[in-house]
């Protein structure tokens, strides 16, 4: 069937409505359902009305091709036990008949004028063609049969015919195969007769008692089953039309109008119309209705009562909302019932006189009310849905136009007895097939129009078509009403700061939607454990194989429930970090390896208005139920393997971010009091540069004097160490620059000397070519240099030696370099540094004629010169020793167990690695839809970092690839190693954020989930949020939600009391 086209459907409905107005009384005003006020249950009644009308219309059509009362009853009996198949089969035969020759004269006469001896005349001639023709007898036999199961030979023969015609060819090659079996065209029709009662009446009804399969008037098991079978019937009808269309093309030269077989102008009694119940619509007696005895009509169905998928709660009076509506809307009087009974008796009398092909309708009061009242107790005459009497009138009109069409076919085509290929028999079969196509399509459009009506009404109620972002915003609003304030989800946006201090920066986890809007922080269910109130075990962070950094600080456990609709994205997840000017901190990304071990994967240092954005990729794993169903039939070994791998996947859902504040740790590292570096901006910047860029050991800069002195003395001492170190570094830089200048000057002199040698060689080559023209260039140049006859070269060298700069060499070979200095040896006299290893050593500069001597007493005080090589080796040795101690956990950082007021802190030691397993078990138990999937958060491979080179410079954005991320991680690890003295010093003021994500998945889009599945996604996400909240906060659900919300949830779900920690 074709997809629903609303514009085309409305045009067809307008045409049908004009026809229906000619059938009904002038006082009637049928309209499209959306233009009539009605209830939700009326939509179910309308779906029942459309289905029964479509089935009756199809059965009325099948009467034209051989279905009658006796075989319909037999087919119904067959359908109760086995399938019933309708099949068209046959064969084609082509045999040679005869050969004939005929002469064909050309219609054109050629006239020729001949003149001879003065006499002229005309000669006329024609072209005569002798044609040999071969005649073939082409016989087609087909039959239409209905049978039970897989036994077609014992079926019911509905129609059979053999037709033939001649095929003429110019050669004796057969135009058709001698024997060809027509491919069978069959469809199952047992479902059509299952909807008939024992007395041959249609009784389709949507079962609303089953809340799992019945969602909407369009989306339910009964309608879906009808649509599936109608699609098969639709395909069979198309095959029938295609077969006869190709068959008719074989008979060339016929004068029949094949468009006469079309059913486009036939009335289809399947229309989704309603009528405003402005008056008491009494039922029409059967005697007053123009009914045909061969007409298949809608019949009695079981009386429906209102039902909803969820159990309704009764109030104090013991009445449910449905019972209250029934009490307010009582049934009509017994007078109306007696009228209905009288009508039923009259119809029953008519039924007994029926003796033709199909059963007539037997109407009853219950049957009338079933299709004309709203489910839920409203009187039948108040429903806007068409009554059964109206349906019978429409079906009677269909029967009438079918009979008129048959009369037209009898006039257009020859009878079947004449044996022609095209006859009224084939035309009738094509007409029925085409009419069934139109009936099935109108039925599909009708039920789809009900769903489209629901969609438009929902959009009109809200005011717009809501998007995923709108749904996300509503959930934020909804959670503020659902949870108590202390347990409500909070934005993942945290200022990086010490208590009572200005923030150093910001950490945020936000969503970026595709509509170009500003990113919003995600809302997470958060459990905050403060280090001030609880004794939190320290966190170990292994930054390499030999160093474990110990960190202490606050812990944040986040539970994030996101949602995903089919074909709609929830936006990109971005982890952001922003540092303020003259501030710095470190971000470490990784996962929790065990209860108190953080496994780092990436790290980066942010400072001076750096803005980092890390896209986060979401990876979903199967739901617990999907996993259990998948491994159900595996072997025990395979199940253990699958469970082990799933355990690793669940552990990977613990995405963690560590925030390390650098300034407090610098104070601790340098033995300075707290807040000593708060206003020392330049000192802090210098310290960061020394640790990050030059990796200076902290022992060279820390205060190591009396601990009882004033803080200003300690700060002054550290400043002096920093200043001395900066002077030393500048001196080393100057020395390196001087060495580089000398090396470059030496290389320039060597290059000039080489150029001069090449110049002289070219001059000597010219002279040798004049004396010895047969000598090679190389031999001539060598002989002149050995014989000392290079006068010009000698003058060039002498001139070069006079103008050579100091420190350069004019000899052919430079003097040998001096022996290397020992490690720690003082530099050479005069302050000249030793040359770098492997570099050519220039000649010593000329000794000046005057010398100056100084005594030690007159030498000004200079910064102490530190041997960088010796310091590095000592620091490496120190790190090696301290790493051994940290590896064996001998060094345990000290944290206070008592609060300032003297009370003992409560110890908190929750193992975060067990939470994914707890959530998995709750998902399996409480996630009834098996739609909640654990989600792994992975940092993307492309990061974005915006930085400022100076205070007045414009921001520059760079993309950090995998190689850049590795460099930033190594730099951060180096700083972390320095701040912790290779694990010997614990790092305080560290915030650990652990995020556990889960995704509520929906199979359809947001609107389709509400309209087609009749599912409120708010309730689904709400349930998932409660499951996560009980796990994160470790409390029962009733303690987390507001009291009024608990009553609301208990109305439609029984999960709330069972959700405990």
């Amino acid at each position: 069937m074709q997809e629903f086209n609303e514009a085309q459907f409305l045009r067809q409905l307008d045409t049908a409505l004009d026809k229906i107005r000619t059938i009904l009384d002038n006082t009637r005003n049928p309209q499209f359902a959306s233009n009539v006020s009605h209830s939700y249950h009326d939509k179910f009644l309308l779906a029942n009305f459309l289905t029964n009308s479509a089935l009756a219309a199809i059965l009325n059509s099948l009467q034209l091709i051989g279905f009658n009362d006796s075989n319909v009853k037999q087919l119904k009996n067959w359908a109760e036990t086995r399938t019933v198949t309708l099949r068209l089969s046959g064969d084609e035969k082509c045999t040679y008949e005869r050969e004939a020759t005929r002469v064909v004269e050309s219609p054109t006469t050629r006239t020729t004028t001949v003149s001879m001896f003065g006499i002229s005349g005309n000669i006329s001639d024609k072209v005569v063609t002798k044609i040999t023709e071969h005649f073939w007898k082409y016989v087609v036999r087909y039959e239409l049969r209905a049978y039970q199961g897989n036994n077609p030979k014992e079926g019911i023969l509905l129609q059979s015919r053999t037709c033939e015609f001649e095929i003429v060819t110019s050669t004796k090659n057969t135009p058709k195969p001698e024997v060809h079996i027509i491919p069978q065209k069959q469809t199952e029709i047992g479902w059509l007769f299952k909807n008939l009662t024992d007395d041959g009446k249609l009784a389709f009804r949507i079962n609303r008692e089953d809340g799992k399969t019945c969602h909407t008037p369009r989306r339910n098991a009964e309608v879906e089953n009808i649509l599936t079978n109608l699609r098969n019937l639709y395909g069979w009808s198309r095959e029938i039309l295609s077969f006869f269309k190709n068959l008719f093309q074989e008979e060339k030269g016929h004068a029949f109008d094949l468009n006469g077989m079309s059913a486009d102008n036939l009335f289809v009694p399947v229309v989704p119309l309603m009528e405003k119940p402005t008056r008491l619509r009494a039922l029409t007696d059967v005697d007053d209705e123009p009914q045909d005895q061969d007409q298949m009509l809608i019949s009695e169905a079981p009386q429906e009562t209102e039902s909803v998928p969820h159990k309704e709660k009764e109030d104090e009076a013991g009445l449910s909302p449905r019972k209250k509506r029934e009490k307010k809307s009582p049934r009509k009087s017994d007078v109306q019932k007696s009228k209905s009974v009288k009508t039923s008796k009259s119809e029953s009398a008519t039924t007994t006189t029926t003796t033709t092909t199909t059963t007539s309708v037997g109407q009853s009061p219950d049957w009338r009310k079933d299709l004309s009242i709203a489910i839920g107790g409203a009187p039948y005459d108040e429903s806007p849905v068409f009554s059964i009497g109206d349906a019978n009138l429409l079906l009677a009109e269909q029967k009438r136009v079918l009979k008129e069409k048959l009369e037209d076919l009898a006039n257009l085509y020859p009878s079947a007895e004449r044996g022609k290929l095209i006859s009224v028999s084939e035309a009738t079969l094509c007409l029925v097939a085409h009419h069934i196509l139109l009936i099935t399509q109108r039925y599909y459009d009708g039920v789809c129009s009900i769903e489209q009506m629901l969609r438009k009404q929902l959009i009109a109620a809200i005011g717009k078509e809501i998007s995923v972002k709108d749904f996300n915003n509503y959930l934020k609003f909804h959670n503020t009403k659902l949870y108590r304030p202390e347990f409500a989800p909070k934005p993942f946006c945290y200022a990086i700061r010490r208590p009572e201090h200005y923030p150093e920066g910001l950490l945020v986890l936000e969503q970026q939607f595709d509509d170009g809007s500003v990113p919003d922080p995600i809302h997470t269910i958060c459990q905050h454990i403060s280090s001030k109130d609880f004794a939190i075990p320290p966190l170990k962070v292994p930054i390499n194989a030999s160093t474990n950094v110990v960190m202490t600080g606050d812990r944040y456990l986040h539970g994030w429930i996101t949602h995903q609709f089919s074909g709609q994205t929830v936006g990109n997840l971005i982890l952001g970090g922003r540092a303020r000017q003259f501030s710095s901190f470190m971000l470490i990304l990784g996962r929790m390896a065990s209860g108190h071990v953080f496994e780092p994967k990436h790290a980066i240092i942010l400072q001076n208005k750096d803005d980092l954005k890390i896209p986060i990729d979401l990876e979903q794993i199967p739901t617990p139920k999907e996993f259990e169903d998948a491994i159900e039939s595996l072997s025990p070994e395979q199940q253990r393997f699958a469970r082990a791998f799933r355990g690793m996947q669940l552990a990977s859902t613990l995405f963690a971010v560590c925030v390390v504040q650098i300034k407090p740790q610098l104070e601790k590292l340098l033995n300075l009091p707290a807040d000593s570096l708060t206003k020392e901006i330049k000192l802090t910047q210098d310290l960061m540069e020394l640790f990050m860029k030059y990796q200076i050991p902290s022992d060279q800069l820390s205060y190591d004097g009396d601990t009882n002195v004033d803080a200003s003395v300690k700060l002054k001492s550290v400043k002096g160490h920093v200043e001395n170190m900066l002077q030393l570094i500048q001196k080393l830089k100057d020395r390196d620059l001087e060495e580089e200048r000398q090396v470059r000057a030496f290389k320039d002199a060597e290059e000039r000397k080489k150029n001069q040698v090449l110049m002289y060689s070219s001059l000597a080559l010219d002279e040798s070519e004049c004396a010895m023209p047969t000598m090679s260039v190389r031999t001539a140049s060598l002989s002149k240099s050995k014989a000392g006859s290079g006068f010009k070269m000698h003058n060039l060298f002498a001139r070069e030696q006079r103008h050579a700069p100091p420190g350069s060499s004019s000899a052919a070979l430079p003097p040998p370099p001096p022996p290397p200095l020992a490690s720690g040896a003082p530099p050479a006299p005069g302050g000249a540094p030793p040359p770098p290893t492997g570099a050519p050593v220039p000649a010593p500069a000329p000794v000046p004629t005057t010398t100056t001597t100084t005594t030690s007493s007159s030498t000004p005080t200079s910064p102490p010169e530190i041997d960088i090589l010796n310091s590095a080796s000592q620091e490496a040795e120190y790190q090696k020793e301290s790493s051994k101690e940290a590896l064996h956990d001998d060094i345990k950082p000290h944290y206070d167990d008592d609060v300032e007021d003297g009370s003992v802190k409560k110890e908190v030691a929750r193992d975060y690695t067990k939470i994914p397993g707890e959530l998995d078990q709750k998902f399996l138990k409480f996630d009834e839809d098996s739609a909640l999937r654990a989600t792994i958060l992975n940092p993307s491979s492309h990061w974005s970092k915006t930085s400022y080179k100076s205070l007045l410079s414009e921001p520059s954005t760079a993309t950090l690839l995998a190689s850049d991320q590795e460099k930033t991680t190594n730099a951060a690890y180096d700083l972390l190693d320095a701040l912790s003295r290779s694990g010997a010093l614990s790092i305080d003021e560290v915030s650990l954020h652990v995020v556990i994500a889960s995704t509520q998945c929906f199979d359809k889009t947001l609107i389709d989930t509400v309209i087609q599945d009749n599912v409120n996604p708010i309730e689904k996400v709400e349930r998932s949020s409660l499951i996560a909240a009980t796990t994160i906060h470790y409390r029962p659900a009733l303690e987390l939600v507001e009291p009024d919300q608990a009553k609301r949830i208990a109305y439609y779900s029984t999960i709330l009391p069972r959700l405990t920690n």
Side-chain angles (χ1 to χ4, degrees):
M1 288 181 286
Q2 300 177 0
E3 292 297 327
F4 174 67
N5 187 329
E6 186 177 9
Q8 180 180 353
F9 167 74
L10 292 177
R11 288 194 300 267
Q12 296 172 350
L13 188 62
D14 290 338
T15 303
L17 194 57
D18 294 338
K19 182 68 175 179
I20 292 173
R21 288 194 177 100
T22 64
I23 302 173
L24 302 178
D25 296 337
N26 292 334
T27 58
R28 306 290 296 275
N29 184 25
Q31 302 179 49
F32 182 48
S34 62
N35 300 328
V36 180
S37 176
H38 60 276
S39 66
Y40 181 64
H41 288 293
D42 290 332
K43 291 182 171 66
F44 279 92
L45 292 177
L46 182 60
N48 290 339
F49 172 80
L50 291 175
T51 306
N52 284 310
S53 298
L55 298 182
I58 292 175
L59 289 173
N60 285 338
S61 302
L62 292 177
Q63 293 176 11
L64 304 181
I65 56 174
F67 284 81
N68 53 41
D69 181 62
S70 59
N71 58 34
V72 166
K73 290 182 179 179
Q74 185 175 0
L75 293 173
K76 174 176 171 45
N77 295 331
W78 286 354
E80 293 177 356
T81 57
R82 301 185 67 182
T83 61
V84 178
T85 304
L86 180 63
R87 185 175 74 177
L88 178 72
S89 60
D91 54 53
E92 302 173 358
K93 295 181 180 181
C94 184
T95 58
Y96 185 75
E97 286 288 316
R98 67 186 185 278
E99 177 182 340
T101 303
R102 59 188 177 90
V103 177
V104 178
E105 294 183 356
S106 174
T108 304
T109 301
R110 187 177 60 179
T111 302
T112 305
T113 302
V114 180
S115 179
M116 182 178 295
F117 304 108
I119 301 174
S120 62
N122 295 328
I123 302 176
S124 300
D125 57 4
K126 289 184 177 180
V127 178
V128 178
T129 304
K130 183 179 181 181
I131 300 176
T132 302
E133 295 178 332
H134 302 271
F135 294 86
W136 306 80
K137 182 180 179 181
Y138 181 59
V139 180
V140 179
R141 185 192 61 84
Y142 68 88
E143 65 178 18
L144 184 65
R145 184 182 294 270
Y147 60 92
Q148 183 188 29
N150 58 349
N151 191 7
K153 294 183 179 180
E154 297 182 1
I156 300 174
L157 182 61
L158 300 173
Q159 187 172 334
S160 177
R161 187 169 182 269
T162 301
C163 54
E164 62 181 45
F165 68 95
E166 283 188 339
I167 299 178
V168 181
T169 61
S170 59
T171 63
K172 204 173 181 179
N173 297 328
T174 176
K176 296 285 185 179
E178 292 184 2
V179 178
H180 171 66
I181 303 300
I182 299 174
Q184 297 176 355
K185 297 166 178 54
Q186 60 186 24
T187 183
E188 207 278 327
I189 60 172
W191 58 273
L192 189 60
F193 303 100
K194 289 180 181 179
N195 290 282
L196 292 175
T197 59
D198 294 336
D199 52 354
K201 304 170 186 177
L202 282 170
F204 173 84
R205 184 178 69 92
I206 298 175
N207 180 18
R208 299 197 64 201
E209 300 294 335
D210 191 355
K212 294 183 178 180
T213 60
C214 181
H215 305 296
T216 65
R218 164 65 179 85
R219 309 288 171 170
N220 53 79
E222 291 74 26
V223 172
E224 290 290 352
N225 182 50
I226 292 294
L227 283 174
T228 300
N229 292 302
L230 284 179
R231 289 189 181 96
N232 297 332
L233 185 60
Y234 184 90
W236 178 83
S237 301
R238 289 182 63 91
E239 291 180 353
I240 296 297
L241 289 175
S242 177
F243 167 72
F244 283 106
K245 180 181 178 181
N246 296 330
L247 186 62
F248 293 160
Q249 292 178 354
E250 300 295 338
E251 187 174 355
K252 300 178 181 179
H254 64 79
F256 303 119
D257 182 13
L258 299 182
N259 293 328
M261 306 177 187
S262 174
D264 290 331
N265 297 326
L266 296 183
F267 174 68
V268 178
V270 184
V271 284
L273 298 178
M274 290 185 179
E275 185 177 7
K276 185 177 180 181
T278 57
R279 62 181 179 86
L280 180 63
R281 295 185 298 175
L283 300 179
T284 306
D285 291 340
V286 176
D287 296 338
D288 299 332
E289 294 179 358
Q291 298 180 6
D292 190 286
Q293 291 181 344
D294 297 339
Q295 179 180 341
M296 174 58 70
L297 299 177
I298 306 171
S299 65
E300 180 178 359
Q303 183 176 0
E304 290 188 5
T305 57
E306 179 183 9
S307 61
V308 290
H310 301 290
K311 181 181 179 182
E312 293 183 345
K313 302 299 180 179
E314 296 185 353
D315 58 5
E316 293 78 0
L319 295 179
S320 65
R322 174 174 58 85
K323 294 179 180 179
K324 289 182 178 180
R325 289 194 296 269
E326 293 177 352
K327 186 176 181 180
K328 292 180 180 179
S329 302
R331 298 283 183 177
K332 290 296 180 181
S333 63
D334 296 337
V335 177
Q336 297 169 353
K337 293 184 178 180
S338 63
K339 185 175 182 180
S340 299
V341 172
K342 178 180 178 181
T343 304
S344 176
K345 293 179 179 179
S346 177
E347 290 168 349
S348 178
T350 304
T351 304
T352 58
T353 61
T354 301
T355 56
T356 51
T357 56
T358 57
T359 58
S360 181
V361 61
Q363 300 177 345
S364 67
D366 291 338
W367 164 62
R368 293 276 189 167
K369 289 182 286 186
D370 179 65
L371 287 177
S372 62
I373 69 171
I375 303 176
Y380 64 87
D381 51 10
E382 292 183 359
S383 172
V385 182
F386 270 23
S387 65
I388 298 302
D390 297 332
N392 291 341
L393 289 175
L394 300 183
L395 291 170
E397 177 64 17
Q398 179 210 15
K399 192 69 176 179
R400 186 188 67 82
V401 297
L402 283 175
K403 288 183 177 180
E404 290 182 354
K405 189 65 176 180
L406 285 180
E407 295 175 358
D408 294 338
L409 294 180
N411 296 328
L412 288 175
Y413 308 103
S415 62
E417 290 78 8
R418 298 177 58 181
K420 297 295 183 180
L421 182 61
I422 302 177
S423 69
V424 67
S425 179
E426 288 76 23
T428 303
L429 193 54
C430 291
L431 175 68
V432 171
H434 191 199
H435 193 47
I436 291 177
L437 285 179
L438 297 179
I439 294 173
T440 55
Q441 185 65 48
R442 298 290 174 82
Y443 172 74
Y444 175 74
D445 292 342
V447 292
C448 287
S449 68
I450 300 176
E451 186 172 88
Q452 184 68 12
M453 185 166 42
L454 288 171
R455 183 187 301 272
K456 288 185 176 181
Q457 289 174 346
L458 179 63
I459 295 175
I462 298 175
K464 67 173 184 178
E465 186 170 355
I466 57 176
S467 62
V468 177
K469 183 181 178 182
D470 297 328
F471 181 72
N472 191 63
N473 293 334
Y474 173 78
L475 288 179
K476 297 176 183 178
F477 163 77
H478 179 73
N479 288 330
T480 59
K481 298 172 57 179
L482 174 64
Y483 290 95
R484 297 184 181 183
E486 60 270 24
F487 303 115
K490 299 176 177 59
F492 194 106
C493 185
Y494 295 90
I496 302 173
R497 65 192 308 171
R498 288 180 287 174
E500 300 180 359
H501 285 71
Y502 192 75
E504 298 282 328
L506 188 70
L507 177 67
V508 60
L509 190 58
E510 55 193 6
Q511 278 180 300
Q512 174 68 63
F513 290 91
D514 298 333
D515 57 357
S517 59
V518 178
D520 293 330
I522 64 172
H523 282 59
T524 61
I525 302 167
C526 179
Q527 182 194 45
H528 177 209
I529 303 178
S530 176
S531 58
K532 290 185 177 181
D533 302 330
F534 299 93
I536 306 175
L539 183 70
K540 295 182 180 180
V541 183
I543 59 176
N544 54 50
S546 60
T547 304
N548 290 326
V549 180
V550 180
M551 300 180 179
T552 60
D554 293 356
R555 305 284 174 87
Y556 297 84
L557 178 61
H558 302 271
W560 182 44
I561 302 296
T562 184
H563 48 270
Q564 180 182 9
F565 294 92
S566 176
Q568 296 175 321
T569 60
V570 295
N572 300 320
L573 190 63
I574 300 175
L575 177 65
R578 307 182 187 99
R580 298 183 181 271
Q581 185 65 47
F582 305 126
S583 301
S584 60
F585 61 89
M586 183 187 304
L587 289 182
I588 308 175
L589 279 64
R591 306 193 186 277
M592 297 300 297
S594 62
H596 303 288
V597 176
F598 174 74
E599 183 179 348
K601 298 295 183 182
H602 305 277
I604 190 171
I605 301 170
L606 301 180
Q607 58 179 340
N608 297 332
K609 297 167 62 175
D610 286 346
D611 189 356
L612 177 68
K613 294 184 181 300
I614 303 177
I616 303 297
D617 298 330
L618 306 182
E619 178 186 351
Q620 301 172 8
I621 65 176
T623 64
K625 188 177 185 306
E626 292 174 344
F627 175 77
E628 294 296 335
D629 292 343
I631 68 172
E632 182 179 7
S633 60
L634 297 181
S635 66
E637 293 78 12
Q638 295 168 346
Q639 289 184 1
R640 290 195 298 270
F641 174 79
R643 294 185 187 278
F645 202 85
R646 182 172 178 83
M648 183 200 68
Q649 289 178 320
L650 292 175
S652 301
T653 59
L654 290 172
F655 177 74
V657 180
C658 263
V659 182
V660 180
Q661 299 188 44
I662 297 178
K663 189 177 295 185
Q665 189 62 23
L666 283 176
E667 297 170 349
K668 182 178 181 180
L669 178 67
L670 300 175
N671 299 325
L672 294 176
D675 295 339
S676 299
L677 299 178
T678 301
K679 299 180 181 179
E680 297 293 337
I681 297 176
K682 183 180 183 304
L683 178 59
T684 304
Q685 296 289 326
D686 292 340
L687 287 171
M688 290 289 294
E689 183 180 13
L690 292 175
F691 286 128
M692 293 174 57
K693 185 175 181 179
Y694 301 107
Q695 299 183 7
I696 302 301
S698 60
D699 292 343
Q700 305 292 339
L701 304 175
S702 62
Y703 174 76
D704 53 2
D706 187 5
T707 58
N708 297 325
V709 299
D710 190 67
S712 59
V713 177
K714 299 179 180 180
L715 185 62
K716 184 177 180 180
S717 174
V718 172
K719 285 184 178 180
H721 296 326
V722 171
E723 185 65 27
N724 294 337
M725 186 59 64
L726 292 176
Q727 292 180 5
L728 173 62
I729 292 174
Q730 185 61 38
K731 183 176 180 180
L732 294 177
K733 287 182 179 179
D734 295 340
R735 186 183 70 180
D736 294 341
L737 290 175
E738 180 62 24
E739 289 181 359
E740 183 66 23
R741 187 189 65 79
Q742 293 181 4
V743 170
R744 182 166 297 181
F746 176 77
K747 290 182 178 180
D748 292 343
E750 288 292 325
E751 187 68 24
R752 287 195 298 270
K753 181 178 67 175
K754 182 178 180 181
N755 294 337
Q756 292 169 356
V757 171
L758 293 176
M759 184 186 302
Y760 177 77
S761 299
S762 61
L763 295 176
L765 180 61
D766 295 338
E767 295 178 1
S768 62
E769 287 177 350
C770 295
M772 296 176 293
T774 59
M775 187 178 297
S776 63
V777 176
R778 182 177 180 183
T779 306
S781 60
L782 289 176
S783 61
K784 281 187 174 290
S785 62
K786 290 180 180 180
S789 58
F791 176 74
K792 295 181 180 180
M793 184 176 67
H794 173 74
N795 292 337
L796 289 174
F797 270 103
R799 188 162 54 250
E800 174 63 27
Q801 186 174 3
R802 288 194 300 268
H803 298 283
S808 61
S809 175
S810 60
L813 294 175
L821 297 176
S823 177
T837 306
V841 181
V847 180
T849 55
T850 60
T851 59
T852 304
T853 59
T854 57
T855 61
S856 60
S857 59
S858 61
T859 303
T861 304
S862 60
E865 298 191 6
I866 302 173
D867 192 339
I868 300 299
L869 295 178
N870 284 346
S871 299
S873 61
Q874 294 172 3
E875 181 67 15
E877 189 66 26
Y878 175 76
Q879 292 181 5
K880 183 177 180 181
E881 295 296 329
S882 61
S883 300
K884 293 180 179 179
E885 297 174 356
L887 186 63
H888 292 85
D889 295 331
D890 292 335
I891 299 177
K892 298 182 179 179
H894 172 74
Y895 56 91
D896 297 332
D897 290 339
D898 298 335
V899 196
E900 295 179 359
D901 57 0
S903 59
V904 180
K905 291 184 178 181
K906 182 180 179 181
E907 184 177 357
V908 177
R910 190 174 185 183
D911 189 354
Y912 289 155
T913 57
K914 295 182 179 179
I915 296 179
E918 297 174 5
L919 280 174
D920 203 52
Q921 293 299 321
K922 286 188 176 182
F923 291 167
L924 182 61
K925 183 177 181 180
F926 298 111
D927 184 19
E928 301 171 353
D929 306 319
S930 184
L932 195 54
R933 301 174 182 270
T935 305
I936 302 174
L937 305 183
N938 293 312
S940 177
S941 58
H942 291 70
W943 299 3
S944 175
K945 181 182 179 183
T946 301
S947 58
Y948 296 80
K949 293 184 179 180
S950 62
L951 289 175
L952 302 180
S953 63
E954 294 294 330
S956 60
T957 303
T959 301
L960 304 182
L961 303 178
S963 57
D964 303 316
Q965 297 170 20
E966 184 179 2
K967 293 179 182 178
T968 59
T969 301
N970 293 334
Y973 285 173
D974 292 340
L975 179 60
L976 202 61
D977 185 78
L979 294 177
S980 64
R981 293 178 184 170
S982 296
L985 187 66
S986 65
I987 299 180
D988 304 329
E989 302 295 341
V990 176
S991 299
L992 174 65
H993 296 266
V994 180
V995 183
I996 304 176
S998 302
T999 304
Q1000 180 76 39
C1001 299
F1002 297 92
D1003 296 333
K1004 299 179 180 178
T1005 63
L1006 175 58
I1007 293 295
D1008 289 344
T1009 300
V1010 180
I1011 298 301
Q1012 297 182 3
D1013 293 345
N1014 196 30
V1015 169
N1016 185 358
I1018 299 174
E1019 297 173 356
K1020 300 298 182 180
V1021 179
E1022 180 183 71
R1023 180 188 61 193
S1024 303
S1025 177
L1026 289 173
I1027 295 174
T1030 55
T1031 308
I1032 298 298
H1033 292 295
Y1034 212 65
R1035 292 171 178 265
L1038 292 174
E1039 297 182 9
L1040 303 178
V1041 301
E1042 296 285 358
D1044 58 335
Q1045 297 295 320
K1047 294 180 180 179
R1048 177 187 61 82
I1049 298 174
Y1051 178 79
Y1052 67 86
S1053 176
T1054 60
I1055 190 177
L1056 189 63
R1058 296 183 292 139
L1059 270 177
T1060 58
N1061 52 310

